Amino acid sequence: MNVAVAKTGGGRAVSDLFAGARGRLPGSPDVIAARREAFETYERLGLPHRRIEEWKYTDLRALVGEVLPLAAAPDAAALSRAAEAVKAHAFAGARKLVLVDGVFAADLSDVKAFGSEISVKTLREILANDGNPAAGDLLQTTSTDAVISLNAAMATDGVVVTVADGAHLSAPIQIIHVATAAGASAFTRSHLQIGKNARVTVIESFVAAGKTGSYQINDAVVLWVGDGADVAHVRLMDDAPDAVNVSSHFVTVGAAVKFNFFNMTTGAAVSRLQGFITLAGEGSELSANGVNLLQKTEHGDTTLVVDHAVPNCVSRETFRAVIDDRAHSVFQGRIIVRPDAQKTDGKMMTRALLLSDEAEADNKPELEIFADDVSCGHGATAGALDDSLLFYLKARGLPEKQAQALLIQAFVGEAIEQIADDDLREHVIGIAERWLERRQ
């Protein structure tokens, strides 16, 4: 019998990826066993491809080809370059938690600024604790695929944050991922537990140090939101133009919660954010919004599954994509209404703006409704800038690129305006404006 050894696009056996990283992966014997099982799942499935329905528009085998070796732990020089990147991308007043090449950087983080109402630990220290039999649970998720399994197998670090019941944080928590190693990959997994009636803003930022490029990010975030909490979660992905970023979010929302999520993609050659949000408590409100700003040959995918598991919840999803050159934007949104989730109110709308004849947008909104007393709807559009509006602005002396920029700002504004915090909203608008300036 002939046995074929699975190989990556570069000719390396897939098993070499895990074997070569074993010395860097924290964990007790039980955790290592869970990692090995997760890697065997990935090894069996391989990178997702277009024959898998959920990955139909983002074929990682064609777009990426192979998973790069694990990045080395950052040395002093890498940390110095990361510090410059943190300085450039930190949100004013935020309390920072910094991960460099997949490793928590305590010296670049504001751990001492957190009070007693917040507990911060690293994933590494929890997984390495032989006395914690439940440590391996941090590598488990409610949904899984090859990318998620690979993250479970290879995650080197992350942050584990617990916010106490009733805590009203005066400053946002900002988790900053900095890449300094070219030709390598980083795997991180973070857990955030928000207490009952707490009020919290969480910012995630993905950036490169200097001209670092050709790296890969595989990140996962597991978020639990307690009853009565008010949580804003803003994710800003501005990786290097030739990077790959695949991130997975797993969110469980309690009762009477207000959860506002926003994502902006302005970088990476290939990116995908896949979010799984479960409304598990009655009377909760979800606002999920996003903007893809893509150019050249960038590929940006937002895939979101909202699961209405209980009655009397509201969800609103608003996504905008601006696509220039030969870039490709993907939005896949699914609203699931379970049989007991009566009185569900769910709406989803995605719009794509094509700035060139070669730009491409794939929008796939879906409804799966198993209850009869609901109000649900979805829509999708794609088109070019309005020629009459462009003519109007140009007739008043504006250059074409500047006229386009004004119309693009108005187009994405509906999604950005959902960010409640004024300063944070202006920060996001500034990122969008810089992207527009690069077009000019």
Side-chain angles (χ1 to χ4, degrees):
M1 179 177 66
N2 294 324
V3 178
V5 179
K7 293 182 179 294
T8 69
R12 295 186 295 270
V14 173
S15 57
D16 292 348
L17 181 68
F18 187 61
R22 282 287 299 276
R24 293 276 319 284
L25 302 178
S28 63
D30 288 344
V31 171
I32 294 299
R35 287 185 182 277
R36 185 179 298 110
E37 181 180 355
F39 191 81
E40 288 172 354
T41 298
Y42 166 73
E43 194 172 20
R44 183 178 70 254
L45 298 174
L47 284 173
H49 50 83
R50 60 185 175 83
R51 291 188 297 276
I52 300 173
E53 183 63 26
E54 293 81 3
W55 293 84
K56 176 180 178 180
Y57 302 109
T58 302
D59 185 337
L60 292 187
R61 292 189 185 181
L63 292 168
V64 176
E66 67 170 328
V67 179
L68 296 173
L70 189 66
D75 56 16
L79 291 173
S80 177
R81 291 191 293 124
E84 292 299 317
V86 169
K87 184 178 179 181
H89 294 275
F91 178 68
R95 299 167 181 172
K96 301 182 297 295
L97 298 172
V98 181
L99 294 156
V100 180
D101 297 331
V103 178
F104 182 70
D107 291 344
L108 303 182
S109 302
D110 298 324
V111 177
K112 294 181 179 179
F114 292 98
S116 59
E117 57 193 5
I118 304 178
S119 167
V120 178
K121 296 181 179 180
T122 66
L123 182 72
R124 171 173 288 275
E125 65 180 294
I126 296 175
L127 292 180
N129 183 358
D130 291 343
N132 184 354
D137 293 345
L138 295 179
L139 299 179
Q140 305 298 319
T141 53
T142 53
S143 300
T144 189
D145 60 19
V147 167
I148 298 168
S149 295
L150 183 60
N151 179 276
M154 301 288 291
T156 53
D157 213 343
V159 294
V160 180
V161 178
T162 304
V163 178
D165 292 350
H168 284 205
L169 303 190
S170 58
I173 300 170
Q174 185 176 15
I175 303 171
I176 305 178
H177 298 257
V178 185
T180 73
S185 61
F187 297 84
T188 48
R189 178 172 291 216
S190 294
H191 289 252
L192 294 86
Q193 184 159 347
I194 310 301
K196 296 178 180 179
N197 301 308
R199 190 167 187 171
V200 182
T201 297
V202 178
I203 306 168
E204 284 185 278
S205 300
F206 292 85
V207 300
K211 296 182 179 180
T212 302
S214 301
Y215 59 85
Q216 296 176 357
I217 301 293
N218 184 328
D219 177 59
V221 173
V222 182
L223 172 62
W224 295 275
V225 184
D227 295 350
D230 188 340
V231 177
H233 183 185
V234 175
R235 179 180 181 271
L236 306 172
M237 202 283 291
D238 192 24
D239 277 304
D242 56 355
V244 175
N245 185 314
V246 180
S247 298
S248 306
H249 285 190
F250 308 90
V251 183
T252 303
V253 176
V257 166
K258 289 186 177 180
F259 181 57
N260 189 317
F261 174 73
F262 177 85
N263 174 70
M264 176 175 278
T265 298
T266 56
V270 178
S271 66
R272 175 173 165 118
L273 170 65
Q274 52 181 7
F276 307 90
I277 303 175
T278 301
L279 299 174
E282 292 193 41
S284 289
E285 298 178 11
L286 165 67
S287 176
N289 310 279
V291 174
N292 280 355
L293 299 176
L294 307 175
Q295 59 183 339
K296 298 179 181 178
T297 58
E298 293 173 346
H299 179 105
D301 179 341
T302 301
T303 295
L304 183 66
V305 179
V306 175
D307 188 346
H308 285 262
V310 297
N312 300 306
C313 289
V314 176
S315 65
R316 293 289 184 270
E317 300 165 50
T318 302
F319 284 82
R320 299 288 183 267
V322 180
I323 314 151
D324 203 358
D325 305 318
R326 294 188 291 121
H328 183 190
S329 178
V330 176
F331 174 78
Q332 299 181 107
R334 183 187 308 159
I335 296 175
I336 303 172
V337 182
R338 301 295 176 180
D340 293 332
Q342 305 293 347
K343 304 296 183 183
T344 287
D345 183 356
K347 302 290 190 300
M348 172 172 41
M349 188 67 196
T350 175
R351 300 184 189 276
L353 183 60
L354 308 176
L355 300 181
S356 81
D357 293 338
E358 296 181 284
E360 183 178 356
D362 285 301
N363 294 322
K364 186 186 175 187
E366 299 177 88
L367 298 176
E368 293 184 9
I369 301 174
F370 304 99
D372 53 16
D373 187 6
V374 303
S375 174
C376 294
H378 64 68
T381 67
L385 286 169
D386 190 315
D387 287 336
S388 63
L389 292 177
L390 271 177
F391 178 80
Y392 176 86
L393 293 173
K394 288 159 62 178
R396 277 148 184 79
L398 288 179
E400 182 168 0
K401 288 288 188 181
Q402 190 174 345
Q404 288 181 353
L406 286 175
L407 295 178
I408 292 169
Q409 284 178 299
F411 176 77
V412 302
E414 183 179 355
I416 296 176
E417 286 299 320
Q418 302 304 315
I419 301 173
D421 183 276
D422 292 341
D423 292 335
L424 185 52
R425 185 170 61 252
E426 289 301 316
H427 180 75
V428 172
I429 290 172
I431 295 173
E433 288 176 344
R434 288 192 289 275
W435 184 87
L436 289 169
E437 288 172 2
R438 292 199 294 270
R439 287 192 72 238
Q440 301 179 43

